[in-house]
Amino acid sequence: NHMGFQMQVLAFDYIFADQAQHVLRQIYGTISATFLGKDIGVNVFHYGKVGILNPSINVGNICVPISALDENKVLKGDKRVSPIHNQLALDTPEASAFEQSVGERVIRVTTVNTNSVLRQTRRDLELDAAAGGELLEMEWAPMASLDHGYLSMYPGLGKINHYFAGIGSDKPLTGESLGNTPYPRDQERKVARAMLHIIEGCHD
C-alpha cells in the first residue's frame, strides 16, 4: 500500500507455452469481473531461457523482444511480424532502470513463437532464421496477443504492460543444445533482481 494505492503480486515459478496465455485469460477475467469500472492496471513480467538463432547473439546475452514471428506460419511461407509492446524495449524509465540493474546493454530482437522442441528440425530452424527470427521461445507472442482489443473482453482492466526478457541459453543451429551447453544462471538472477526492482517501484 503506497499513497492510497494497493498492489497485488501473483508469482508463477513455471509457465510453459500456451499455458501462459490460458493463465493470463483467467487472471484478466477475474480482475475484470471483480473490479469492473476500476480500471485496474496489470503488469506482466516474464523471463527465462531463449534459444539463439542470430549468430551475433551469444549464450548469456540478455535479450528483450520487440516483435515476433509465428513458426507455424513461417513454415507455410507467411513471414509477417507482429509487434510486442515490451516496456523493457521502449524508451521508458523502466527500460533504463532494467539495463542499469543488469549492468549491460540488452539486445532488442525479433523472437519466434516456436513449436514443441521435440518436433523441431534443422530445416525449420533455418527457415525461422531466414524469416528474420533471432530467438526461439514459446510464450511471449501468445501472452502479448491478449492486449489486442482486450477492453472489449475485459472491460474492468486498465492498461496492460509487458516486461519480457530472455537469457540466451543455447545455439541449436551450431550444435550447442540445452543438453551440452552450461546455462548462465547468474545472468538469470540478474534479470530476476532487475524485474523485482521494477515491481517494487510500481504503485498504480
Side-chain angles (χ1 to χ4, degrees), residues 55-82:
S56 68
I57 299 175
N58 298 315
V59 171
N61 283 162
I62 297 172
C63 303
V64 294
I66 58 173
S67 56
L69 291 156
D70 182 86
E71 187 170 62
N72 285 325
K73 292 181 179 178
V74 169
L75 299 183
K76 294 176 181 177
D78 185 346
K79 302 176 183 178
R80 287 177 294 177
V81 176
S82 299

Side-chain angles (χ1 to χ4, degrees), residues 2 16 23 34 37 51-52 65 70 72 77-78 99 103 112 115 134 137-138 175 182 186 190 193:
H2 178 80
F16 180 71
V23 168
T34 305
I52 300 167
D70 182 86
N72 285 325
D78 185 346
E99 282 199 342
V112 177
N115 294 325
E134 298 174 278
E137 48 77 39
M138 297 181 176
D186 285 346
K190 287 200 300 186
R193 284 195 298 268

Side-chain angles (χ1 to χ4, degrees), residues 60-155:
N61 283 162
I62 297 172
C63 303
V64 294
I66 58 173
S67 56
L69 291 156
D70 182 86
E71 187 170 62
N72 285 325
K73 292 181 179 178
V74 169
L75 299 183
K76 294 176 181 177
D78 185 346
K79 302 176 183 178
R80 287 177 294 177
V81 176
S82 299
I84 292 180
H85 302 294
N86 180 9
Q87 298 298 308
L88 299 181
L90 302 175
D91 184 18
T92 62
E94 294 94 338
S96 297
F98 181 79
E99 282 199 342
Q100 184 174 2
S101 181
V102 297
E104 61 187 86
R105 176 80 59 182
V106 301
I107 303 171
R108 290 159 175 77
V109 296
T110 296
T111 184
V112 177
N113 182 48
T114 186
N115 294 325
S116 167
V117 174
L118 296 177
R119 296 202 309 265
Q120 281 180 339
T121 66
R122 183 176 183 85
R123 176 183 174 277
D124 292 352
L125 297 178
E126 289 173 344
L127 289 173
D128 291 337
E134 298 174 278
L135 297 181
L136 296 166
E137 48 77 39
M138 297 181 176
E139 292 84 22
W140 290 333
M143 294 167 79
S145 70
L146 294 181
D147 70 0
H148 296 288
Y150 72 90
L151 286 179
S152 62
M153 294 182 65
Y154 311 109

